[in-house]
Amino acid sequence: MNWGVFQGLLSGTNHFSTAFGRIWMSVVFVFRLLVYVVAAERVWEDEQGEFDCNTKQPGCTNVCYDYYFPVSHIRLWALQLILVTCPSLLVLLHVAYREDRERKHRQKQGEDSGRLYLDTGKKRGGLWWTYLISLIAKALVDSVFLYIFHHIYKDYSLPSIVKCTLPPCPNIVDCFISRPTEKNIFTLFMVVTTVVCILLNLCEIGYLVSKRCRECLIQRNQSKVIAYLQKQEIFHVNNKVNEQIDLMPQIHVTPPETKLK
């Protein structure tokens, strides 16, 4: 499988990510994608061919393998990597939509017209929500796959010997897994890196929300200060007007003399 598409996807979203997002991408690319392509695929390539049972009963080995390995580790990891990188595509599509709107606006209004967006890649408005939703989706995908692995393979570990009693096996059959220690090491490594990615996503979510709350508080305080200054300015203007009125010379108007009848 060609993983260059996902590498390009991760590199493209790196431009719009925070520091936590860049660390997340590095962990996914180096410690998950690269390890998967270079080492993990080769470790699991002989999992079914080397699954050996101490019986020659036709079909017994296949049935036992299907029972203990309903879904291969390597295929689950491939599906996990595909799904966990898809939310990043939402951010790229949203940025591309903004850039297209900006281009059409310039063509219609002219190059000297104002811009719709000061920066099409800046996380403001709808793009902020898209980025936040992508982080939540990535954390959920990794969490769901951790649960699936734990549900299928208890404690994320593989035993050296499994005992199978499923038909058509004639009796209790011992089956042997190839290289269980090496597979357990890679499984533990992938689980740890997945947990690290979840924690990074949660940290980035907390950072984005706290930053937005801080900006809202600053804007609210600024609006209060501006309103206070405007009131003070109006108050001083009124005082000056009153002072000028007080300084104006008083004009006494004498009433006309009335004739006595």
Side-chain angles (χ1 to χ4, degrees):
M1 184 174 182
N2 185 10
W3 292 95
V5 177
F6 297 98
Q7 179 183 355
L9 175 62
L10 296 178
S11 301
T13 55
N14 190 46
H15 179 67
F16 311 108
S17 302
T18 63
F20 291 105
R22 295 186 183 95
I23 297 174
W24 179 87
M25 291 178 189
S26 300
V27 172
V28 170
F29 178 70
V30 177
F31 295 103
R32 293 177 67 179
L33 182 59
L34 201 60
V35 170
Y36 174 89
V37 173
V38 173
E41 279 188 319
R42 297 181 181 180
V43 173
W44 265 268
E45 64 184 359
D46 61 346
E47 57 179 341
Q48 187 172 5
E50 296 297 329
F51 185 80
D52 189 23
C53 297
N54 58 356
T55 181
K56 297 299 182 180
Q57 179 69 29
C60 179
T61 302
N62 292 333
V63 170
C64 293
Y65 176 82
D66 182 70
Y67 178 77
Y68 288 103
F69 293 92
V71 183
S72 173
H73 286 69
I74 207 69
R75 293 177 180 86
L76 274 177
W77 284 332
L79 182 61
Q80 181 182 4
L81 287 172
I82 291 172
L83 294 180
V84 84
T85 52
C86 284
S88 299
L89 183 61
L90 295 176
V91 180
L92 293 180
L93 290 176
H94 200 147
V95 174
Y97 168 74
R98 282 187 165 191
E99 292 176 349
D100 184 65
R101 283 195 63 192
E102 188 69 35
R103 179 181 57 81
K104 291 181 179 179
H105 175 74
R106 289 184 179 182
Q107 290 179 353
K108 184 177 180 179
Q109 303 295 334
E111 293 294 334
D112 297 333
S113 62
R115 296 174 58 90
L116 293 176
Y117 307 99
L118 295 177
D119 186 359
T120 55
K122 195 172 184 61
K123 291 182 286 294
R124 289 291 184 274
L127 184 59
W128 186 87
W129 286 103
T130 302
Y131 192 85
L132 183 65
I133 292 172
S134 70
L135 293 176
I136 297 173
K138 288 187 286 189
L140 287 177
V141 168
D142 279 336
S143 301
V144 168
F145 273 92
L146 279 181
Y147 172 77
I148 292 174
F149 271 104
H150 186 269
H151 180 72
I152 297 177
Y153 305 103
K154 302 299 181 182
D155 300 328
Y156 306 106
S157 62
L158 298 175
S160 300
I161 302 174
V162 294
K163 296 184 179 295
C164 183
T165 57
L166 299 173
C169 298
N171 47 31
I172 299 178
V173 176
D174 293 334
C175 296
F176 304 91
I177 301 173
S178 65
R179 297 185 285 184
T181 303
E182 187 176 9
K183 290 179 180 178
N184 284 331
I185 292 174
F186 273 99
T187 301
L188 181 61
F189 180 83
M190 297 296 283
V191 168
V192 170
T193 53
T194 301
V195 172
V196 171
C197 288
I198 294 174
L199 293 177
L200 288 172
N201 285 326
L202 294 178
C203 290
E204 191 170 9
I205 291 172
Y207 170 76
L208 287 177
V209 174
S210 62
K211 184 179 179 180
R212 176 53 60 88
C213 293
R214 186 169 61 252
E215 290 176 352
C216 292
L217 289 175
I218 293 174
Q219 290 177 357
R220 183 177 299 177
N221 292 332
Q222 287 178 349
S223 62
K224 290 181 179 180
V225 171
I226 292 173
Y228 174 77
L229 292 176
Q230 289 177 348
K231 290 181 180 179
Q232 292 295 321
E233 185 177 358
I234 294 173
F235 177 76
H236 289 302
V237 169
N238 292 333
N239 284 339
K240 289 181 180 180
V241 171
N242 292 331
E243 290 176 357
Q244 291 178 358
I245 293 174
D246 293 337
L247 294 176
M248 290 177 63
Q250 298 294 330
I251 302 175
H252 299 282
V253 179
T254 58
E257 295 183 354
T258 58
K259 296 181 179 180
L260 297 176
K261 293 183 180 180

